[in-house]
Amino acid sequence: MFSFQPGGKYHRADIKELAGLRRNAKGGPWDTGIVEHGGDFWIFANVGTRGRTGDAYDNQWEGDLFHWYHKKRSHVGWASVKKLLLPGNVIHVFWRVSNREPFEYAGRATPFKVFEERSPVEILWAFADAESETPFFVGPDEVPSNGYNEGTAHQVVVNVYERDRAARQACISFYGLSCVVCSLSFEEDYGTIGKGYIHVHHLIPLSSIGQGYQVDPIKDLRPICPNCHAMVHQREPPYPIEEVRKGMKHQIAANGFVIDADSSNVACTM
């Protein structure tokens, strides 16, 4: 098992050494954007800058999700892409905004969405590590009213990513850790391992807002569980939260359950 700290900074030579290779080994697949080694996959992504080979991809952070582009001309029919997307894979994602800087470890990734019709292959990666922070809580009246700057991938993305963490925390402080669609609380359902875990959904996708847009954590963000988050992103643009909530309630009611009109409490009628 390879041990990396999410948010930690690593040069490619450091990563090779930790993976059991010669630190100064040159060339080969380790100097490309993705490599398979030791049964794991390792992704190296540039954000807002060209790679050393001169190739440029529109990799970018969209909230807590990482929008990543595979190699040129790649498609979902490639055997290597099919292998990458097999359930249970360990996928390490490293990213940076300059070729002169070390990579930052984003964490172990799982595919949140695959844009199957596009070439090169585009994947939205989600990170359990990024969602597991233990939050602090303040009263709704104490949540800062000032905006949080987030913008396009052409800004200094590392700053966007850090500010997004602050906006995420402010959203959780106001709304709590229960899903706004289905009311799931991970700590209540899973105990201590679910403490602090929740996704935060941008009502307006970051990829569609203008540069310098100030995100209001109360107006623009909502806590949402991964399942409901996936359903919201089943189309582009995403479904409104209320539409997904209504669809879920109608489906449960049709199967013999009654839902409190003012909540997501469920009672069996059969």
Side-chain angles (χ1 to χ4, degrees):
M1 175 65 68
F2 306 104
S3 179
F4 297 96
Q5 180 64 39
K9 301 296 182 69
Y10 303 89
H11 290 282
R12 203 183 295 252
D14 301 327
I15 301 167
K16 290 180 181 179
E17 186 174 46
L18 288 169
L21 300 173
R22 287 191 300 110
R23 178 180 179 86
N24 295 320
K26 300 294 184 181
W30 277 91
D31 290 335
T32 63
I34 180 170
V35 62
E36 183 182 1
H37 172 74
D40 294 356
F41 288 88
W42 311 69
I43 290 175
F44 300 92
N46 289 303
V47 176
T49 187
R50 290 182 178 273
R52 288 180 175 175
T53 61
D55 293 327
Y57 298 96
D58 195 23
N59 302 317
Q60 59 183 291
W61 284 97
E62 298 181 5
D64 289 324
L65 303 174
F66 188 56
H67 197 148
W68 174 75
Y69 291 73
H70 205 300
K71 298 176 182 178
K72 287 182 177 178
R73 295 181 293 280
S74 62
H75 56 81
V76 292
W78 277 16
S80 59
V81 173
K82 291 180 179 179
K83 189 174 183 181
L84 172 67
L85 296 174
L86 287 174
N89 278 336
V90 175
I91 302 166
H92 302 282
V93 173
F94 298 84
W95 66 286
R96 64 184 178 184
V97 297
S98 169
N99 286 323
R100 297 182 179 180
E101 295 182 3
F103 288 93
E104 179 170 332
Y105 183 53
R108 288 176 53 167
T110 56
F112 181 80
K113 181 174 183 180
V114 181
F115 298 87
E116 296 185 0
E117 73 284 1
R118 301 181 187 177
S119 179
V121 171
E122 297 179 40
I123 301 173
L124 280 177
W125 296 109
F127 302 89
D129 314 74
E131 298 289 351
S132 62
E133 301 167 352
T134 301
F136 59 90
F137 287 93
V138 298
D141 293 337
E142 300 176 73
V143 175
S145 60
N146 58 296
Y148 294 84
N149 289 322
E150 296 182 291
T152 68
H154 299 291
Q155 291 182 283
V156 181
V157 179
V158 65
N159 290 334
V160 173
Y161 185 58
E162 291 171 350
R163 285 195 293 266
D164 179 72
R165 292 290 186 232
R168 164 188 163 83
Q169 181 58 63
C171 170
I172 291 173
S173 295
F174 186 86
Y175 290 105
L177 286 162
S178 295
C179 174
V180 296
V181 176
C182 69
S183 296
L184 172 68
S185 166
F186 282 94
E187 185 172 7
E188 290 180 8
D189 283 22
Y190 295 95
T192 56
I193 63 171
K195 184 177 181 180
Y197 186 89
I198 196 71
H199 283 191
V200 169
H201 171 62
H202 287 70
L203 298 179
I204 304 174
L206 286 179
S207 58
S208 67
I209 64 178
Q211 185 173 1
Y213 179 83
Q214 288 196 325
V215 171
D216 184 320
I218 312 305
K219 289 174 54 180
D220 299 333
L221 306 179
R222 296 292 187 276
I224 186 170
C225 75
N227 281 353
C228 292
H229 204 181
M231 295 301 99
V232 166
H233 283 279
Q234 280 293 94
R235 76 171 192 194
E236 294 293 339
Y239 286 103
I241 281 177
E242 184 59 32
E243 185 174 343
V244 176
R245 185 189 294 125
K246 287 180 178 178
M248 184 189 71
K249 289 183 176 181
H250 291 160
Q251 183 63 31
I252 293 176
N255 288 332
F257 292 87
V258 173
I259 301 178
D260 186 333
D262 296 323
S263 71
S264 292
N265 297 325
V266 181
C268 182
T269 63
M270 301 177 68

